[in-house]
Amino acid sequence: MIHRHAGRRSVRALGRRCGGIVGAGIVLVALLSACSDPVPEPQQFDAFLTELQTDYLDLFLAHWPSDDIPMAETFRGMARLLDEGLVRDMGVANFTRANLRLALDASPAPIAMNQVEFHPLLYQAPLLEFCHEHDVHITAYAPIAQGQVLDEPVLQQIGAAHGRSPVQVSLRWILQKGLVAVPKASSDAHLLENLDLFDWALSAAEVKAIDGIGKKVRIFNWEAVAAFSTDDG
């Protein structure tokens, strides 16, 4: 994932690493820093893609809502990029139900993804249900709450029953909710641990126990920087 306003040196470096392998298991996602930033015209965006050494992005996200530019204007601009084939799908990040309702009404094209903080210590069930009802997929960032899941007794107990860590239990829970998780890994060992999720499963009772943890630990408080509603469950 790359921020569209990343420095040109960073963009070119990513292009050198990923150029020519888009579509070979590599998914390129870019963030428009906020709806307060104008969406680039197709010609400008094409120049950005050239520096990335690709013809298109898989996903282009509006980072958070803003009062500075109407949502309709932002999503019209993103839809133009979609129509030009420069972007495969468009979406949003950090949108609560209230803001997502506005986005769905304002956008002339489908909103494919909402990327939000989501983990067992911040189970946003109403937002998840709303997204399912409107065919919006969720990507869960900070899916292990920056390691805080390690200290959660419910996850420890379930992990012990499976011979798995609380991190793996958290990621497996997210997968069984039908979400995409984007965990960070500080070592090869942690990366392998994060990937060891597909030959085992949580029982319905275990999923329910995790659902019921009931905490609201928000690692990233985007309300400090954006016009957010608290209507996210």
Side-chain angles (χ1 to χ4, degrees):
M1 179 178 295
I2 188 168
H3 199 293
R4 200 191 70 81
H5 290 292
R8 295 185 67 183
R9 183 178 299 177
S10 298
V11 172
R12 288 171 176 168
L14 182 62
R16 287 193 295 271
R17 286 180 176 271
C18 296
I21 59 173
V22 175
I26 302 296
V27 177
L28 281 179
V29 182
L31 286 170
L32 180 70
S33 63
C35 289
S36 57
D37 290 334
V39 176
E41 293 296 325
Q43 185 175 359
Q44 294 174 295
F45 200 79
D46 192 44
F48 169 68
L49 295 179
T50 298
E51 293 196 333
L52 279 176
Q53 298 185 32
T54 183
D55 296 326
Y56 65 89
L57 287 180
D58 294 286
L59 185 61
F60 191 33
L61 305 177
H63 203 178
W64 57 68
S66 170
D67 292 330
D68 296 339
I69 295 178
M71 276 194 193
E73 182 176 334
T74 294
F75 293 119
R76 281 197 301 269
M78 296 176 75
R80 283 196 299 271
L81 301 179
L82 201 70
D83 291 340
E84 294 287 334
L86 301 176
V87 171
R88 291 285 178 88
D89 281 301
M90 53 184 271
V92 296
N94 305 305
F95 274 46
T96 62
R97 284 182 295 168
N99 288 312
L100 192 52
R101 287 188 191 99
L102 296 174
L104 290 166
D105 288 342
S107 179
I111 292 177
M113 181 70 70
N114 186 16
Q115 181 176 282
V116 298
E117 181 179 346
F118 198 107
H119 47 74
L121 308 184
L122 184 65
Y123 178 31
Q124 301 191 61
L127 177 62
L128 177 60
E129 182 180 357
F130 181 85
C131 287
H132 281 168
E133 289 173 354
H134 293 84
D135 296 321
V136 178
H137 298 283
I138 288 181
T139 294
Y141 70 77
I144 60 173
Q146 293 188 338
Q148 292 189 40
V149 297
L150 291 167
D151 300 321
E152 174 52 50
V154 172
L155 302 175
Q156 292 172 345
Q157 181 178 3
I158 293 173
H162 288 272
R164 307 287 176 169
S165 70
V167 166
Q168 290 172 304
V169 172
S170 298
L171 295 176
R172 182 67 210 183
W173 174 77
I174 287 172
L175 290 181
Q176 289 186 217
K177 291 292 181 185
L179 280 60
V180 177
V182 285
K184 293 182 179 180
S186 58
S187 67
D188 289 346
H190 287 161
L191 178 60
L192 291 173
E193 179 184 352
N194 291 347
L195 293 173
D196 186 14
L197 304 173
F198 302 103
D199 60 351
W200 62 284
L202 300 169
S203 69
E206 289 169 334
V207 170
K208 185 175 181 180
I210 297 171
D211 292 352
I213 288 174
K215 296 181 180 178
K216 292 295 181 182
V217 178
R218 187 177 291 277
I219 305 299
F220 298 97
N221 183 16
W222 294 115
E223 292 183 14
V225 293
F228 265 25
S229 165
T230 57
D231 180 34
D232 62 353

